[in-house]
Amino acid sequence: MGEVSRYGRDERRSSVFATARARLAADRADTLERTSALGRDFDGIVAANALVAVDDEHDPEGASTAFERAHVASLLARAREHLEELDRALERLERGVYGRCEGCGGTIAPERLEIRPAATTCIRCARSGPPTAPRSG
């Protein structure tokens, strides 16, 4: 009978693993698509500005062009950071520590992981600030 319960637990664990992997992969695919689109937008802004002599300081359109370029660059940087977060989450999944809070070592609620698959902290630790080393004991 012990074998049956162990099998059930392994099966459930495998299902959770597969669901988490699928969620992370979908988020990663969406983020890669967004990164690609933002890269094209940024390249388009740079190319358009290269065709005209834009003086950001004195041209009335220059300030908005500079803002647009900076805004897209910021969105692109954030998308790339998110890709790195997702890759680290996949590594945690492979190591068997996915869903463990880096702050307190407790379990991250499945609902939080559903919304933020790359989350590294439980809600309590996220509210209290940046993660610290897990407590021993």
Side-chain angles (χ1 to χ4, degrees):
M1 185 147 155
E3 289 299 314
V4 173
S5 65
R6 183 183 306 151
Y7 173 76
R9 187 177 16 183
D10 290 345
E11 190 175 271
R12 183 175 52 237
R13 187 179 207 176
S14 178
S15 173
V16 168
F17 182 87
T19 300
R21 176 172 287 298
R23 189 176 297 128
L24 288 165
D27 194 350
R28 193 172 194 291
D30 290 344
T31 305
L32 278 171
E33 190 175 310
R34 185 171 60 248
T35 301
S36 179
L38 287 167
R40 286 189 304 273
D41 289 349
F42 185 83
D43 291 346
I45 293 167
V46 170
N49 287 335
L51 298 175
V52 294
V54 176
D55 179 358
D56 288 355
E57 189 175 331
H58 299 102
D59 183 1
E61 293 296 314
S64 61
T65 301
F67 173 80
E68 184 179 2
R69 184 178 56 237
H71 180 71
V72 171
S74 176
L75 292 173
L76 185 56
R78 179 61 194 122
R80 288 178 177 152
E81 287 172 13
H82 188 60
L83 277 175
E84 291 174 9
E85 292 169 358
L86 291 168
D87 288 343
R88 287 191 300 270
L90 284 165
E91 289 171 7
R92 289 192 305 276
L93 189 64
E94 291 299 321
R95 290 192 328 258
V97 295
Y98 179 77
R100 285 268 163 230
C101 177
E102 291 180 354
C104 67
T107 301
I108 300 172
E111 298 83 8
R112 178 166 170 76
L113 291 172
E114 186 174 332
I115 294 168
R116 295 195 51 169
T120 59
T121 56
C122 66
I123 292 187
R124 189 186 78 213
C125 288
R127 286 183 180 147
S128 67
T132 58
R135 297 179 195 135
S136 59

